[in-house]
Amino acid sequence: MNDNAIRRIVIVGGGTAGWMTAAPLAQRLAGRPTGGCEVILVESPEIGTIGVGEATLPTIRFYNAALGLDAADFARKTRASFKLGIDFQDWGHIGNRFFHGFGDFGPSLGKHPPHMYWLRMAQQFNNMPALENWSVASRMAHANKFAPPSDETPSVTDAYSYGYHFDAGLYANYLRDYAVARGARRIEGMIVDVEQHPETGFITAVKLRDGRRVEGDLFIDCSGFRGLLIEGALKAGYDDWSDQLPCNSALAVPCANAPLLTPYTRSTAKEAGWLWRIPLQHRTGNGHVYSNAFTTDETARRVLLDGLDGEALDEPRQLRFVTGRRRKSWVKNCIAIGLSAGFVEPLESTSIHLIETAVGKLIELFPDRDCRVELADEFNRALGIRYESVRDFIILHYKLTKRDDSEFWRYCANMPIPDSLRHQIELFRETGRVAILDPDGFAEPSFVAMLMGLGVVPKRYDPFVDAVAIRQVHGHFAGVRDMIRQAVERMPEHGVHIAALLQGAAAAAPAAPAARFTTPSFAR
Ligand SMILES: Cc1cc2nc3c(=O)[nH]c(=O)nc-3n(C[C@H](O)[C@H](O)[C@H](O)COP(=O)(O)OP(=O)(O)OC[C@H]3O[C@@H](n4cnc5c(N)ncnc54)[C@H](O)[C@@H]3O)c2cc1C
């Protein structure tokens, strides 16, 4: 047995990040008969959690599958609905509407991506319907249908994926029960001090207000925006990205459900930000993300309440944030996961995905008690790439706007952007190629959906697609469109599928996403 092994992990914070970290660690470490490692989580009900964060990416299914969660039990306990993508309204220009679906634009004709063949068709035929017509996820969403991919319709099935919407508080509780059942220990208390080794600076214990000390070998900072350990004690520093992502405020409010339970998130651009709408089984989550440099909180509140589909169930709750990333999220024996590591606004629901990525990386690079700096460097390198690729993808949503109806949108259209993103936009505009700078981040179809949705139509296409006869390309698009239409027609309504799932009558969904969306970040 390794004398240097970690014997006790202390997780600070019991929000989504804290319990998403505790659950797989408890599953893997806490119950070991020999060489066991305690997993302790400290949280303060007095401070509470942020209480938002309800839309996810398909990669959440890798995470859930790794824990062995049953899809029906999960949906029942978290009041989950299915998410096929995001319906963007008024982004790019007022009146614009497009769908960023999870998955591809139908099965491809050959070795080249579907959008290349579509571009060739669009250059030849003036009336070529929008590429989105070949997104299975988009067709399902517009028809308000849902069924998990199944072997019966392989070509269609391989072309879409899905994530979930869920109640963030219920999900954290669900994972808490899972972790505690596997030996994790929960301590309630307010941390008032952090003790560090006088020479190494390693954290040795956290001190609670009632005088208790909680010692540990490895500390995971899931304390939210405050970054109690990573910033408070270890002064990791923070890169502020507000000049390229100017939203810094949000108002969140639940409302009564609309009659139809829709299988997608809706994002509507407004004068100084955007509204989210996230349908759950029992209510709809709503929010307004905005910049208070371009509007007032009172106006933002009115915009939010005016945009609700049903009766507000509470008073809107105000949140502030600084977009950016902790310069290092692993320092000495402390690793920041969740909001303590950084935050990019929830336009593509990436925060929970970033938690999955960080927890997956922590397991992959799990240290001994000396916490070798090489492991920390590798963690920080990998997470740095992921955060920056998410940042760039979100900036793209704003930068490509043609809106000039407010000071906010004029600022976005003219703001400087990272060179990496400029390259991605220009490459696509000129050639239709997508530069994937983070192979585990958003995949090509997501870039194509957003760039074309925002009005960037490439001037050229891949010359290799000319090798296929135009009649064959034509036949392919006509055939796939019919196949998608027929497959979607056979699917149940989203609400009907959920009801069947909760009653144990729906077909079991495959554990992991199949379609080209992102590569798994939590595949262990
Ligand atoms: C407006 C908004 C909308 C969002 N929407 C989405 C979305 O749709 N999808 C998505 O993926 N993400 C979304 N997010 C992000 C998501 O909410 C977070 O990533 C997620 O909830 C994780 O939060 P957390 O656990 O890091 O922090 P928190 O929920 O803030 O938890 C912090 C924990 O630390 C504890 N704590 C703090 N200080 C102390 C102390 N001194 N002593 C003891 N305990 C302490 C608290 O008690 C709490 O348990 C959104 C965020 C915002 C701001």
mmCIF file of all heavy atoms in Angstrom, residues 12-18 42-45 47-55 189-191 222-226 228 250 276 278 289 319 321 337-340 343 346 349-353 355, ligand 1:
data_model
loop_
_atom_site.group_PDB
_atom_site.id
_atom_site.type_symbol
_atom_site.label_atom_id
_atom_site.label_comp_id
_atom_site.label_asym_id
_atom_site.label_seq_id
_atom_site.Cartn_x
_atom_site.Cartn_y
_atom_site.Cartn_z
ATOM 1 N N VAL A 12 -15.316 21.485 -0.053
ATOM 2 C CA VAL A 12 -15.947 22.660 0.577
ATOM 3 C C VAL A 12 -17.068 23.152 -0.333
ATOM 4 O O VAL A 12 -16.815 23.650 -1.428
ATOM 5 C CB VAL A 12 -14.897 23.770 0.811
ATOM 6 C CG1 VAL A 12 -15.579 25.076 1.225
ATOM 7 C CG2 VAL A 12 -13.906 23.327 1.871
ATOM 8 N N GLY A 13 -18.313 22.958 0.102
ATOM 9 C CA GLY A 13 -19.459 23.429 -0.674
ATOM 10 C C GLY A 13 -20.332 22.276 -1.139
ATOM 11 O O GLY A 13 -19.823 21.263 -1.639
ATOM 12 N N GLY A 14 -21.643 22.465 -0.970
ATOM 13 C CA GLY A 14 -22.599 21.401 -1.313
ATOM 14 C C GLY A 14 -23.606 21.859 -2.347
ATOM 15 O O GLY A 14 -24.785 21.522 -2.284
ATOM 16 N N GLY A 15 -23.132 22.639 -3.347
ATOM 17 C CA GLY A 15 -23.983 22.967 -4.495
ATOM 18 C C GLY A 15 -23.837 21.860 -5.532
ATOM 19 O O GLY A 15 -23.342 20.757 -5.241
ATOM 20 N N THR A 16 -24.239 22.161 -6.767
ATOM 21 C CA THR A 16 -24.134 21.160 -7.838
ATOM 22 C C THR A 16 -22.695 20.668 -7.962
ATOM 23 O O THR A 16 -22.444 19.465 -8.087
ATOM 24 C CB THR A 16 -24.597 21.775 -9.176
ATOM 25 O OG1 THR A 16 -25.866 22.395 -8.969
ATOM 26 C CG2 THR A 16 -24.739 20.724 -10.252
ATOM 27 N N ALA A 17 -21.730 21.599 -7.892
ATOM 28 C CA ALA A 17 -20.328 21.209 -8.069
ATOM 29 C C ALA A 17 -19.869 20.298 -6.939
ATOM 30 O O ALA A 17 -19.193 19.280 -7.175
ATOM 31 C CB ALA A 17 -19.447 22.453 -8.147
ATOM 32 N N GLY A 18 -20.214 20.658 -5.709
ATOM 33 C CA GLY A 18 -19.765 19.864 -4.555
ATOM 34 C C GLY A 18 -20.255 18.432 -4.627
ATOM 35 O O GLY A 18 -19.480 17.475 -4.520
ATOM 36 N N VAL A 42 -18.277 19.694 3.366
ATOM 37 C CA VAL A 42 -18.729 20.706 4.329
ATOM 38 C C VAL A 42 -19.592 21.718 3.586
ATOM 39 O O VAL A 42 -19.182 22.245 2.550
ATOM 40 C CB VAL A 42 -17.531 21.472 4.952
ATOM 41 C CG1 VAL A 42 -18.012 22.425 6.044
ATOM 42 C CG2 VAL A 42 -16.488 20.503 5.486
ATOM 43 N N GLU A 43 -20.773 21.970 4.114
ATOM 44 C CA GLU A 43 -21.629 22.982 3.476
ATOM 45 C C GLU A 43 -22.355 23.789 4.537
ATOM 46 O O GLU A 43 -22.551 23.330 5.660
ATOM 47 C CB GLU A 43 -22.626 22.339 2.511
ATOM 48 C CG GLU A 43 -23.628 21.409 3.141
ATOM 49 C CD GLU A 43 -24.599 20.833 2.115
ATOM 50 O OE1 GLU A 43 -25.021 21.579 1.212
ATOM 51 O OE2 GLU A 43 -24.942 19.640 2.228
ATOM 52 N N SER A 44 -22.746 24.991 4.139
ATOM 53 C CA SER A 44 -23.425 25.868 5.076
ATOM 54 C C SER A 44 -24.807 26.229 4.542
ATOM 55 O O SER A 44 -24.929 27.040 3.614
ATOM 56 C CB SER A 44 -22.592 27.147 5.265
ATOM 57 O OG SER A 44 -23.402 28.153 5.801
ATOM 58 N N PRO A 45 -25.866 25.645 5.134
ATOM 59 C CA PRO A 45 -27.228 25.997 4.694
ATOM 60 C C PRO A 45 -27.494 27.492 4.855
ATOM 61 O O PRO A 45 -28.295 28.071 4.112
ATOM 62 C CB PRO A 45 -28.128 25.176 5.629
ATOM 63 C CG PRO A 45 -27.251 24.134 6.225
ATOM 64 C CD PRO A 45 -25.860 24.651 6.217
ATOM 65 N N ILE A 47 -25.514 29.904 4.071
ATOM 66 C CA ILE A 47 -25.096 30.580 2.830
ATOM 67 C C ILE A 47 -25.947 30.099 1.656
ATOM 68 O O ILE A 47 -26.357 30.876 0.809
ATOM 69 C CB ILE A 47 -23.596 30.326 2.554
ATOM 70 C CG1 ILE A 47 -22.754 30.999 3.639
ATOM 71 C CG2 ILE A 47 -23.203 30.831 1.170
ATOM 72 C CD1 ILE A 47 -21.275 30.812 3.486
ATOM 73 N N GLY A 48 -26.214 28.815 1.628
ATOM 74 C CA GLY A 48 -27.053 28.265 0.552
ATOM 75 C C GLY A 48 -26.287 28.116 -0.752
ATOM 76 O O GLY A 48 -25.092 28.429 -0.844
ATOM 77 N N THR A 49 -27.001 27.662 -1.777
ATOM 78 C CA THR A 49 -26.374 27.442 -3.084
ATOM 79 C C THR A 49 -26.921 28.488 -4.057
ATOM 80 O O THR A 49 -27.880 29.189 -3.752
ATOM 81 C CB THR A 49 -26.710 26.038 -3.624
ATOM 82 O OG1 THR A 49 -28.111 25.981 -3.851
ATOM 83 C CG2 THR A 49 -26.319 24.944 -2.644
ATOM 84 N N ILE A 50 -26.350 28.532 -5.232
ATOM 85 C CA ILE A 50 -26.769 29.551 -6.199
ATOM 86 C C ILE A 50 -28.190 29.275 -6.719
ATOM 87 O O ILE A 50 -28.925 30.185 -7.083
ATOM 88 C CB ILE A 50 -25.744 29.689 -7.351
ATOM 89 C CG1 ILE A 50 -26.054 30.930 -8.170
ATOM 90 C CG2 ILE A 50 -25.722 28.470 -8.241
ATOM 91 C CD1 ILE A 50 -24.853 31.545 -8.809
ATOM 92 N N GLY A 51 -28.568 27.998 -6.745
ATOM 93 C CA GLY A 51 -29.967 27.643 -7.028
ATOM 94 C C GLY A 51 -30.396 27.790 -8.480
ATOM 95 O O GLY A 51 -31.579 27.725 -8.780
ATOM 96 N N VAL A 52 -29.451 28.009 -9.402
ATOM 97 C CA VAL A 52 -29.781 27.977 -10.829
ATOM 98 C C VAL A 52 -28.827 26.960 -11.475
ATOM 99 O O VAL A 52 -27.955 26.428 -10.818
ATOM 100 C CB VAL A 52 -29.606 29.356 -11.507
ATOM 101 C CG1 VAL A 52 -30.772 30.274 -11.210
ATOM 102 C CG2 VAL A 52 -28.293 29.996 -11.112
ATOM 103 N N GLY A 53 -28.990 26.735 -12.782
ATOM 104 C CA GLY A 53 -28.123 25.758 -13.460
ATOM 105 C C GLY A 53 -28.937 24.530 -13.768
ATOM 106 O O GLY A 53 -28.781 23.492 -13.150
ATOM 107 N N GLU A 54 -29.845 24.657 -14.748
ATOM 108 C CA GLU A 54 -30.834 23.600 -14.939
ATOM 109 C C GLU A 54 -30.820 23.009 -16.339
ATOM 110 O O GLU A 54 -31.548 22.075 -16.613
ATOM 111 C CB GLU A 54 -32.216 24.170 -14.632
ATOM 112 C CG GLU A 54 -32.203 24.899 -13.289
ATOM 113 C CD GLU A 54 -33.545 24.962 -12.600
ATOM 114 O OE1 GLU A 54 -34.489 25.419 -13.245
ATOM 115 O OE2 GLU A 54 -33.619 24.547 -11.439
ATOM 116 N N ALA A 55 -29.996 23.558 -17.231
ATOM 117 C CA ALA A 55 -29.921 22.994 -18.581
ATOM 118 C C ALA A 55 -28.528 22.411 -18.776
ATOM 119 O O ALA A 55 -27.544 22.967 -18.286
ATOM 120 C CB ALA A 55 -30.187 24.069 -19.632
ATOM 121 N N GLY A 189 -21.822 23.356 8.494
ATOM 122 C CA GLY A 189 -21.123 24.361 9.291
ATOM 123 C C GLY A 189 -20.582 25.464 8.409
ATOM 124 O O GLY A 189 -20.380 25.280 7.210
ATOM 125 N N MET A 190 -20.351 26.590 9.042
ATOM 126 C CA MET A 190 -19.836 27.757 8.318
ATOM 127 C C MET A 190 -18.314 27.814 8.488
ATOM 128 O O MET A 190 -17.814 27.899 9.623
ATOM 129 C CB MET A 190 -20.489 29.004 8.901
ATOM 130 C CG MET A 190 -19.891 30.282 8.456
ATOM 131 S SD MET A 190 -20.592 30.834 6.918
ATOM 132 C CE MET A 190 -22.069 31.633 7.547
ATOM 133 N N ILE A 191 -17.598 27.772 7.383
ATOM 134 C CA ILE A 191 -16.134 27.856 7.448
ATOM 135 C C ILE A 191 -15.737 29.314 7.658
ATOM 136 O O ILE A 191 -16.179 30.195 6.917
ATOM 137 C CB ILE A 191 -15.500 27.307 6.159
ATOM 138 C CG1 ILE A 191 -15.821 25.817 6.033
ATOM 139 C CG2 ILE A 191 -13.987 27.545 6.124
ATOM 140 C CD1 ILE A 191 -15.508 25.217 4.687
ATOM 141 N N CYS A 222 -15.413 23.949 -3.781
ATOM 142 C CA CYS A 222 -16.688 24.072 -4.523
ATOM 143 C C CYS A 222 -17.545 25.119 -3.826
ATOM 144 O O CYS A 222 -18.763 24.958 -3.678
ATOM 145 C CB CYS A 222 -17.407 22.725 -4.574
ATOM 146 S SG CYS A 222 -16.497 21.443 -5.444
ATOM 147 N N SER A 223 -16.883 26.187 -3.370
ATOM 148 C CA SER A 223 -17.579 27.178 -2.533
ATOM 149 C C SER A 223 -18.289 28.247 -3.363
ATOM 150 O O SER A 223 -18.762 29.236 -2.816
ATOM 151 C CB SER A 223 -16.598 27.826 -1.564
ATOM 152 O OG SER A 223 -15.622 28.560 -2.290
ATOM 153 N N GLY A 224 -18.359 28.070 -4.689
ATOM 154 C CA GLY A 224 -19.089 29.045 -5.503
ATOM 155 C C GLY A 224 -18.218 30.241 -5.854
ATOM 156 O O GLY A 224 -16.987 30.201 -5.741
ATOM 157 N N PHE A 225 -18.889 31.317 -6.272
ATOM 158 C CA PHE A 225 -18.167 32.499 -6.758
ATOM 159 C C PHE A 225 -17.097 32.990 -5.781
ATOM 160 O O PHE A 225 -16.088 33.552 -6.184
ATOM 161 C CB PHE A 225 -19.147 33.653 -7.012
ATOM 162 C CG PHE A 225 -19.974 33.483 -8.254
ATOM 163 C CD1 PHE A 225 -21.357 33.692 -8.225
ATOM 164 C CD2 PHE A 225 -19.396 33.136 -9.468
ATOM 165 C CE1 PHE A 225 -22.129 33.550 -9.374
ATOM 166 C CE2 PHE A 225 -20.156 32.993 -10.625
ATOM 167 C CZ PHE A 225 -21.529 33.194 -10.572
ATOM 168 N N ARG A 226 -17.333 32.785 -4.471
ATOM 169 C CA ARG A 226 -16.390 33.374 -3.502
ATOM 170 C C ARG A 226 -15.011 32.710 -3.548
ATOM 171 O O ARG A 226 -14.041 33.334 -3.139
ATOM 172 C CB ARG A 226 -16.965 33.369 -2.085
ATOM 173 C CG ARG A 226 -17.540 32.036 -1.683
ATOM 174 C CD ARG A 226 -18.102 32.035 -0.273
ATOM 175 N NE ARG A 226 -19.238 32.902 -0.035
ATOM 176 C CZ ARG A 226 -20.484 32.718 -0.468
ATOM 177 N NH1 ARG A 226 -20.763 31.667 -1.226
ATOM 178 N NH2 ARG A 226 -21.459 33.527 -0.178
ATOM 179 N N LEU A 228 -13.495 30.351 -1.735
ATOM 180 C CA LEU A 228 -13.006 30.473 -0.357
ATOM 181 C C LEU A 228 -11.555 30.021 -0.186
ATOM 182 O O LEU A 228 -10.758 30.679 0.474
ATOM 183 C CB LEU A 228 -13.924 29.610 0.516
ATOM 184 C CG LEU A 228 -14.060 29.914 1.980
ATOM 185 C CD1 LEU A 228 -14.576 31.317 2.168
ATOM 186 C CD2 LEU A 228 -15.031 28.903 2.608
ATOM 187 N N ALA A 250 -27.896 38.664 -13.673
ATOM 188 C CA ALA A 250 -29.017 37.806 -14.079
ATOM 189 C C ALA A 250 -30.147 37.965 -13.081
ATOM 190 O O ALA A 250 -29.917 38.274 -11.908
ATOM 191 C CB ALA A 250 -28.585 36.347 -14.154
ATOM 192 N N TRP A 276 -33.640 33.227 -20.844
ATOM 193 C CA TRP A 276 -33.685 31.768 -20.988
ATOM 194 C C TRP A 276 -35.049 31.246 -20.536
ATOM 195 O O TRP A 276 -35.703 31.848 -19.696
ATOM 196 C CB TRP A 276 -32.557 31.073 -20.236
ATOM 197 C CG TRP A 276 -32.742 30.843 -18.758
ATOM 198 C CD1 TRP A 276 -33.579 29.950 -18.142
ATOM 199 C CD2 TRP A 276 -32.023 31.495 -17.686
ATOM 200 N NE1 TRP A 276 -33.433 30.013 -16.780
ATOM 201 C CE2 TRP A 276 -32.483 30.939 -16.472
ATOM 202 C CE3 TRP A 276 -31.035 32.471 -17.632
ATOM 203 C CZ2 TRP A 276 -31.998 31.340 -15.222
ATOM 204 C CZ3 TRP A 276 -30.550 32.866 -16.389
ATOM 205 C CH2 TRP A 276 -31.023 32.311 -15.216
ATOM 206 N N ILE A 278 -36.466 27.347 -19.568
ATOM 207 C CA ILE A 278 -36.084 25.944 -19.386
ATOM 208 C C ILE A 278 -37.281 25.176 -18.817
ATOM 209 O O ILE A 278 -37.642 25.368 -17.651
ATOM 210 C CB ILE A 278 -34.866 25.832 -18.426
ATOM 211 C CG1 ILE A 278 -33.664 26.557 -19.041
ATOM 212 C CG2 ILE A 278 -34.541 24.379 -18.129
ATOM 213 C CD1 ILE A 278 -32.430 26.586 -18.150
ATOM 214 N N VAL A 289 -30.373 37.266 -18.560
ATOM 215 C CA VAL A 289 -28.947 37.545 -18.406
ATOM 216 C C VAL A 289 -28.699 38.861 -19.128
ATOM 217 O O VAL A 289 -29.088 39.005 -20.294
ATOM 218 C CB VAL A 289 -28.107 36.412 -19.041
ATOM 219 C CG1 VAL A 289 -26.620 36.748 -19.013
ATOM 220 C CG2 VAL A 289 -28.361 35.093 -18.335
ATOM 221 N N LEU A 319 -28.798 38.057 -9.407
ATOM 222 C CA LEU A 319 -27.460 37.469 -9.292
ATOM 223 C C LEU A 319 -26.476 38.357 -10.045
ATOM 224 O O LEU A 319 -26.836 38.943 -11.058
ATOM 225 C CB LEU A 319 -27.432 36.073 -9.926
ATOM 226 C CG LEU A 319 -28.357 35.033 -9.311
ATOM 227 C CD1 LEU A 319 -28.790 34.026 -10.339
ATOM 228 C CD2 LEU A 319 -27.684 34.349 -8.144
ATOM 229 N N PHE A 321 -22.288 38.457 -11.524
ATOM 230 C CA PHE A 321 -21.115 37.607 -11.766
ATOM 231 C C PHE A 321 -20.066 38.365 -12.558
ATOM 232 O O PHE A 321 -20.366 39.384 -13.198
ATOM 233 C CB PHE A 321 -21.524 36.319 -12.510
ATOM 234 C CG PHE A 321 -22.348 36.547 -13.742
ATOM 235 C CD1 PHE A 321 -21.731 36.844 -14.959
ATOM 236 C CD2 PHE A 321 -23.732 36.475 -13.704
ATOM 237 C CE1 PHE A 321 -22.485 37.052 -16.105
ATOM 238 C CE2 PHE A 321 -24.501 36.686 -14.852
ATOM 239 C CZ PHE A 321 -23.875 36.979 -16.049
ATOM 240 N N ILE A 337 -13.480 23.563 -8.363
ATOM 241 C CA ILE A 337 -14.412 22.990 -9.340
ATOM 242 C C ILE A 337 -15.738 23.738 -9.228
ATOM 243 O O ILE A 337 -16.208 24.006 -8.127
ATOM 244 C CB ILE A 337 -14.597 21.468 -9.089
ATOM 245 C CG1 ILE A 337 -13.267 20.734 -9.323
ATOM 246 C CG2 ILE A 337 -15.695 20.890 -9.995
ATOM 247 C CD1 ILE A 337 -13.302 19.230 -9.144
ATOM 248 N N GLY A 338 -16.326 24.060 -10.376
ATOM 249 C CA GLY A 338 -17.596 24.798 -10.367
ATOM 250 C C GLY A 338 -17.340 26.290 -10.436
ATOM 251 O O GLY A 338 -16.334 26.752 -10.995
ATOM 252 N N LEU A 339 -18.237 27.062 -9.860
ATOM 253 C CA LEU A 339 -18.152 28.518 -9.973
ATOM 254 C C LEU A 339 -16.874 29.068 -9.361
ATOM 255 O O LEU A 339 -16.408 30.141 -9.756
ATOM 256 C CB LEU A 339 -19.383 29.161 -9.315
ATOM 257 C CG LEU A 339 -20.727 28.783 -9.957
ATOM 258 C CD1 LEU A 339 -21.893 29.344 -9.142
ATOM 259 C CD2 LEU A 339 -20.801 29.289 -11.402
ATOM 260 N N SER A 340 -16.293 28.375 -8.403
ATOM 261 C CA SER A 340 -15.039 28.851 -7.798
ATOM 262 C C SER A 340 -13.893 28.806 -8.819
ATOM 263 O O SER A 340 -12.881 29.479 -8.647
ATOM 264 C CB SER A 340 -14.669 28.009 -6.576
ATOM 265 O OG SER A 340 -14.518 26.670 -6.974
ATOM 266 N N PHE A 343 -16.499 31.288 -14.520
ATOM 267 C CA PHE A 343 -17.883 31.306 -14.973
ATOM 268 C C PHE A 343 -18.013 31.975 -16.333
ATOM 269 O O PHE A 343 -17.506 33.070 -16.559
ATOM 270 C CB PHE A 343 -18.767 32.050 -13.964
ATOM 271 C CG PHE A 343 -20.223 32.083 -14.362
ATOM 272 C CD1 PHE A 343 -20.966 30.918 -14.454
ATOM 273 C CD2 PHE A 343 -20.847 33.286 -14.670
ATOM 274 C CE1 PHE A 343 -22.306 30.933 -14.847
ATOM 275 C CE2 PHE A 343 -22.192 33.317 -15.055
ATOM 276 C CZ PHE A 343 -22.917 32.135 -15.141
ATOM 277 N N PRO A 346 -24.584 31.303 -19.045
ATOM 278 C CA PRO A 346 -25.180 29.992 -19.378
ATOM 279 C C PRO A 346 -25.837 29.886 -20.753
ATOM 280 O O PRO A 346 -26.741 29.080 -20.942
ATOM 281 C CB PRO A 346 -26.225 29.825 -18.261
ATOM 282 C CG PRO A 346 -26.615 31.209 -17.900
ATOM 283 C CD PRO A 346 -25.388 32.055 -18.075
ATOM 284 N N SER A 349 -25.272 26.462 -21.769
ATOM 285 C CA SER A 349 -25.355 25.511 -20.640
ATOM 286 C C SER A 349 -24.041 24.771 -20.430
ATOM 287 O O SER A 349 -24.024 23.536 -20.347
ATOM 288 C CB SER A 349 -26.455 24.476 -20.872
ATOM 289 O OG SER A 349 -27.573 25.047 -21.472
ATOM 290 N N THR A 350 -22.967 25.497 -20.313
ATOM 291 C CA THR A 350 -21.660 24.840 -20.276
ATOM 292 C C THR A 350 -21.090 24.641 -18.871
ATOM 293 O O THR A 350 -20.100 23.926 -18.707
ATOM 294 C CB THR A 350 -20.649 25.653 -21.108
ATOM 295 O OG1 THR A 350 -20.867 27.042 -20.879
ATOM 296 C CG2 THR A 350 -20.800 25.368 -22.579
ATOM 297 N N SER A 351 -21.689 25.269 -17.837
ATOM 298 C CA SER A 351 -21.049 25.206 -16.513
ATOM 299 C C SER A 351 -21.051 23.788 -15.934
ATOM 300 O O SER A 351 -20.052 23.334 -15.387
ATOM 301 C CB SER A 351 -21.744 26.148 -15.532
ATOM 302 O OG SER A 351 -21.461 27.473 -15.868
ATOM 303 N N ILE A 352 -22.182 23.104 -16.063
ATOM 304 C CA ILE A 352 -22.229 21.742 -15.510
ATOM 305 C C ILE A 352 -21.299 20.840 -16.321
ATOM 306 O O ILE A 352 -20.609 19.976 -15.774
ATOM 307 C CB ILE A 352 -23.685 21.224 -15.468
ATOM 308 C CG1 ILE A 352 -24.438 22.027 -14.384
ATOM 309 C CG2 ILE A 352 -23.761 19.738 -15.184
ATOM 310 C CD1 ILE A 352 -25.936 21.788 -14.337
ATOM 311 N N HIS A 353 -21.232 21.091 -17.609
ATOM 312 C CA HIS A 353 -20.291 20.362 -18.463
ATOM 313 C C HIS A 353 -18.843 20.597 -17.982
ATOM 314 O O HIS A 353 -18.030 19.669 -17.952
ATOM 315 C CB HIS A 353 -20.469 20.819 -19.908
ATOM 316 C CG HIS A 353 -19.379 20.384 -20.820
ATOM 317 N ND1 HIS A 353 -19.295 19.105 -21.311
ATOM 318 C CD2 HIS A 353 -18.299 21.053 -21.308
ATOM 319 C CE1 HIS A 353 -18.215 19.001 -22.081
ATOM 320 N NE2 HIS A 353 -17.605 20.164 -22.096
ATOM 321 N N ILE A 355 -17.972 21.274 -14.983
ATOM 322 C CA ILE A 355 -17.811 20.513 -13.725
ATOM 323 C C ILE A 355 -17.493 19.048 -14.061
ATOM 324 O O ILE A 355 -16.574 18.458 -13.508
ATOM 325 C CB ILE A 355 -19.094 20.601 -12.857
ATOM 326 C CG1 ILE A 355 -19.340 22.042 -12.403
ATOM 327 C CG2 ILE A 355 -19.002 19.668 -11.648
ATOM 328 C CD1 ILE A 355 -20.693 22.272 -11.710
HETATM 329 C C1 LIG B 1 -27.708 32.999 -13.888
HETATM 330 C C2 LIG B 1 -27.070 31.643 -13.972
HETATM 331 C C3 LIG B 1 -27.672 30.644 -14.727
HETATM 332 C C4 LIG B 1 -27.055 29.399 -14.850
HETATM 333 N N1 LIG B 1 -27.601 28.436 -15.663
HETATM 334 C C5 LIG B 1 -26.911 27.300 -15.902
HETATM 335 C C6 LIG B 1 -27.389 26.313 -16.798
HETATM 336 O O1 LIG B 1 -28.488 26.417 -17.354
HETATM 337 N N2 LIG B 1 -26.623 25.227 -17.015
HETATM 338 C C7 LIG B 1 -25.418 25.045 -16.406
HETATM 339 O O2 LIG B 1 -24.728 24.066 -16.688
HETATM 340 N N3 LIG B 1 -24.979 25.925 -15.497
HETATM 341 C C8 LIG B 1 -25.676 27.044 -15.240
HETATM 342 N N4 LIG B 1 -25.205 27.946 -14.327
HETATM 343 C C9 LIG B 1 -24.052 27.608 -13.525
HETATM 344 C C10 LIG B 1 -24.464 26.672 -12.390
HETATM 345 O O3 LIG B 1 -25.459 27.276 -11.611
HETATM 346 C C11 LIG B 1 -23.259 26.348 -11.510
HETATM 347 O O4 LIG B 1 -22.184 25.938 -12.288
HETATM 348 C C12 LIG B 1 -23.572 25.221 -10.574
HETATM 349 O O5 LIG B 1 -24.737 25.477 -9.866
HETATM 350 C C13 LIG B 1 -22.444 24.999 -9.619
HETATM 351 O O6 LIG B 1 -22.430 25.950 -8.585
HETATM 352 P P1 LIG B 1 -21.426 25.700 -7.402
HETATM 353 O O7 LIG B 1 -21.762 24.399 -6.759
HETATM 354 O O8 LIG B 1 -20.047 25.902 -7.908
HETATM 355 O O9 LIG B 1 -21.716 26.917 -6.401
HETATM 356 P P2 LIG B 1 -22.932 27.169 -5.364
HETATM 357 O O10 LIG B 1 -24.217 26.599 -5.818
HETATM 358 O O11 LIG B 1 -22.876 28.636 -5.073
HETATM 359 O O12 LIG B 1 -22.509 26.374 -4.045
HETATM 360 C C14 LIG B 1 -21.544 26.879 -3.159
HETATM 361 C C15 LIG B 1 -21.531 26.015 -1.916
HETATM 362 O O13 LIG B 1 -20.475 26.460 -1.081
HETATM 363 C C16 LIG B 1 -20.944 26.581 0.243
HETATM 364 N N5 LIG B 1 -20.167 27.578 0.957
HETATM 365 C C17 LIG B 1 -19.756 28.785 0.504
HETATM 366 N N6 LIG B 1 -19.081 29.442 1.472
HETATM 367 C C18 LIG B 1 -19.059 28.626 2.548
HETATM 368 C C19 LIG B 1 -18.534 28.729 3.869
HETATM 369 N N7 LIG B 1 -17.900 29.831 4.294
HETATM 370 N N8 LIG B 1 -18.718 27.687 4.711
HETATM 371 C C20 LIG B 1 -19.363 26.566 4.301
HETATM 372 N N9 LIG B 1 -19.881 26.416 3.085
HETATM 373 C C21 LIG B 1 -19.736 27.427 2.219
HETATM 374 C C22 LIG B 1 -22.408 26.967 0.081
HETATM 375 O O14 LIG B 1 -23.128 26.674 1.250
HETATM 376 C C23 LIG B 1 -22.806 26.088 -1.086
HETATM 377 O O15 LIG B 1 -23.137 24.801 -0.597
HETATM 378 C C24 LIG B 1 -25.837 29.161 -14.164
HETATM 379 C C25 LIG B 1 -25.277 30.153 -13.355
HETATM 380 C C26 LIG B 1 -25.871 31.391 -13.264
HETATM 381 C C27 LIG B 1 -25.235 32.459 -12.405
#
